Amino acid sequence: MNQTIYCDHAATTHLKEEVRDFMNQYEQDSYGNPSSLHPIGKKAKDLLIQARQICADCLQASPDELHFTSGGTESIHLALFGAIKANPKKKKIISSPIEHSAVYNTLKYLESKDYQIHWLKPNAEGQISSEELSEALDDNTALVTLMSANNEMGALQKVGEIAQICRTHEILFHTDAVQAAGKIPVDLSEAKVDLLSISGHKFYGPKGTGLLYKRKESKVARLSFGGNQEGGFRSGTENVLGWLGLAKALSLACSKLSQESQRLQEMQSVLMSALANLPAFVLNGPSKLEERLPGNLNYSIRGVSGDQAVLQMAFRGICVSSGSACSEGKIDPSRVILALNPSEPWRAGSSIRISLGALNHADQLDRILAALKSLVR
């Protein structure tokens, strides 16, 4: 029987063996409460300091600018709500309709609470215009939030350029880097963002772990009150072991980033070249590899619904997805693909995402292609 091929790394990744071994190594030493004064608590606190320093080295940030969280969604909420709470007189937020649901649905909620959300329109390949962003900024703008890399169709944004525009206008800029971290370079010494969110399970770390970067001089209010953990920004007893795992996973990903990106792009290129010859498959997102996430492909298939395609691929032992994993169970067309192609609404309901990662290798490509081709016979 053919082994199942996992092509859904954008949804989640497995816990790498090196990360598991690293966590097991410290399991007996990390159970203490880092706020306690006794030796067991001191040992846990030292491990937490170690984890924070590892992440700081990977992201080129200061350790005291990093705040551990329970995942990407919490990191995003702390950033968005903290930014507007710190600037209560400003009621405008600038974003785009292709953001992850953790951002998009939060902004929809704020829209219902009398905030003005300015939705920048992406071009057909999912990129946001810096010129349109500049024109949208005004004295009433509290925050700009734009993702680094799209979770559905892999489009990369010019984060450094966007950050510089916002800095020039003295407006806070948050970027959702959940899909970007561990896959493309994230250097916070160069990209002067104010807030950045990541999630451990996207780069082979443990689920339930995340990180929020908050630049020292950025004015962001705290939302939780309690024991003043995480520099007073995020209260609650620390998940030391989980955050050690996140740090190890991020370190591994960053150390092999160039090599792994090239490997994924080579497989990505093979699939894109083969599917370009099949009229039924229409590529969503950037056509240039350098403008999309390594390993990410998104196609609309003429005459086949996305859900149908996912089930047929699963029947053939290939795990792919339709839309975002966070919207699983819904049959609504992808709002991301619809935003890119409003004149071709069929593409939103017929899209599938293939996201390659550590569990994929070149020997699997023929079988993946055969399964894809069988969808339109």
Side-chain angles (χ1 to χ4, degrees), residues 56-84:
D57 291 342
C58 291
L59 301 173
Q60 297 298 300
S62 175
D64 59 358
E65 294 178 311
L66 302 181
H67 307 276
F68 287 113
T69 69
S70 64
T73 297
E74 185 192 2
S75 297
I76 287 167
H77 287 174
L78 287 173
L80 301 190
F81 286 109
I84 63 172

Side-chain angles (χ1 to χ4, degrees), residues 310-345:
V310 170
L311 292 173
Q312 288 297 318
M313 291 291 284
F315 180 74
R316 291 164 174 78
I318 316 289
C319 297
V320 299
S321 63
S322 177
S324 166
C326 295
S327 61
E328 196 65 35
K330 295 184 178 180
I331 59 173
D332 296 337
S334 166
R335 59 173 171 78
V336 171
I337 305 304
L338 187 61
L340 268 57
N341 309 280
S343 63
E344 297 180 281

Side-chain angles (χ1 to χ4, degrees), residues 26 29-30 43-52 240 244:
Y26 292 106
D29 295 328
S30 63
K43 186 173 289 188
K45 184 175 182 178
D46 289 344
L47 290 174
L48 191 60
I49 291 171
Q50 176 185 336
R52 202 181 310 277
V240 179
L244 278 167

Side-chain angles (χ1 to χ4, degrees), residues 176-296:
D176 166 8
V178 167
Q179 288 292 334
K183 300 174 188 175
I184 60 174
V186 177
D187 186 343
L188 291 168
S189 67
E190 290 187 5
K192 303 295 185 181
V193 306
D194 295 288
L195 297 153
L196 178 140
S197 307
I198 69 174
S199 182
H201 78 101
K202 299 294 187 179
F203 45 83
Y204 311 98
K207 292 175 176 60
T209 63
L211 193 67
L212 174 66
Y213 164 80
K214 180 174 72 69
R215 189 173 292 278
K216 288 178 185 177
E217 60 268 29
S218 300
K219 187 181 177 184
V220 182
R222 62 184 294 180
L223 300 178
S224 63
F225 298 89
N228 289 323
Q229 290 89 347
E230 292 303 297
F233 194 69
R234 193 259 188 186
S235 296
T237 302
E238 299 92 338
N239 176 12
V240 179
L241 186 61
W243 294 339
L244 278 167
L246 177 147
K248 180 63 174 179
L250 184 60
S251 177
L252 282 172
C254 291
S255 69
K256 300 177 181 179
L257 192 145
S258 179
Q259 174 186 347
E260 182 65 359
S261 293
Q262 182 178 346
R263 188 183 76 87
L264 293 176
Q265 285 182 326
E266 288 172 357
M267 291 191 289
Q268 192 178 17
S269 180
V270 170
L271 292 176
M272 288 174 70
S273 297
L275 294 174
N277 298 319
L278 301 176
F281 287 83
V282 181
L283 181 68
N284 294 311
S287 55
K288 297 178 181 178
L289 283 180
E290 62 270 21
E291 294 180 358
R292 68 187 303 144
L293 273 175
N296 175 287

Side-chain angles (χ1 to χ4, degrees), residues 30-247:
S30 63
Y31 68 87
N33 190 321
S35 298
S36 300
L37 298 178
H38 50 65
I40 298 299
K42 176 68 165 56
K43 186 173 289 188
K45 184 175 182 178
D46 289 344
L47 290 174
L48 191 60
I49 291 171
Q50 176 185 336
R52 202 181 310 277
Q53 185 62 60
I54 292 172
C55 293
D57 291 342
C58 291
L59 301 173
Q60 297 298 300
S62 175
D64 59 358
E65 294 178 311
L66 302 181
H67 307 276
F68 287 113
T69 69
S70 64
T73 297
E74 185 192 2
S75 297
I76 287 167
H77 287 174
L78 287 173
L80 301 190
F81 286 109
I84 63 172
K85 185 179 178 182
N87 296 276
K89 294 181 180 180
K90 297 183 178 182
K91 297 294 183 180
K92 182 177 178 179
I93 301 171
I94 297 174
S95 189
S96 81
I98 61 172
E99 298 298 303
H100 186 276
S101 296
V103 171
Y104 182 82
N105 288 339
T106 298
L107 297 182
K108 281 292 186 181
Y109 165 78
L110 290 172
E111 203 168 31
S112 72
K113 299 298 180 181
D114 297 327
Y115 276 85
Q116 176 194 353
I117 312 300
H118 185 102
W119 301 102
L120 297 170
K121 294 182 180 179
N123 63 19
E125 295 200 337
Q127 275 113 13
I128 299 299
S129 165
S130 296
E131 291 75 17
E132 288 188 23
L133 169 61
S134 297
E135 292 173 3
L137 297 172
D138 59 29
D139 293 339
N140 191 40
T141 305
L143 175 70
V144 174
T145 176
L146 293 166
M147 66 197 327
S148 299
N150 187 267
N151 54 302
E152 287 194 38
M153 47 74 196
L156 303 178
Q157 303 299 338
K158 297 177 180 177
V159 172
E161 188 175 309
I162 293 169
Q164 186 56 52
I165 293 170
C166 293
R167 183 162 288 266
T168 300
H169 289 80
E170 298 183 344
I171 292 172
L172 288 175
F173 172 50
H174 164 260
T175 186
D176 166 8
V178 167
Q179 288 292 334
K183 300 174 188 175
I184 60 174
V186 177
D187 186 343
L188 291 168
S189 67
E190 290 187 5
K192 303 295 185 181
V193 306
D194 295 288
L195 297 153
L196 178 140
S197 307
I198 69 174
S199 182
H201 78 101
K202 299 294 187 179
F203 45 83
Y204 311 98
K207 292 175 176 60
T209 63
L211 193 67
L212 174 66
Y213 164 80
K214 180 174 72 69
R215 189 173 292 278
K216 288 178 185 177
E217 60 268 29
S218 300
K219 187 181 177 184
V220 182
R222 62 184 294 180
L223 300 178
S224 63
F225 298 89
N228 289 323
Q229 290 89 347
E230 292 303 297
F233 194 69
R234 193 259 188 186
S235 296
T237 302
E238 299 92 338
N239 176 12
V240 179
L241 186 61
W243 294 339
L244 278 167
L246 177 147

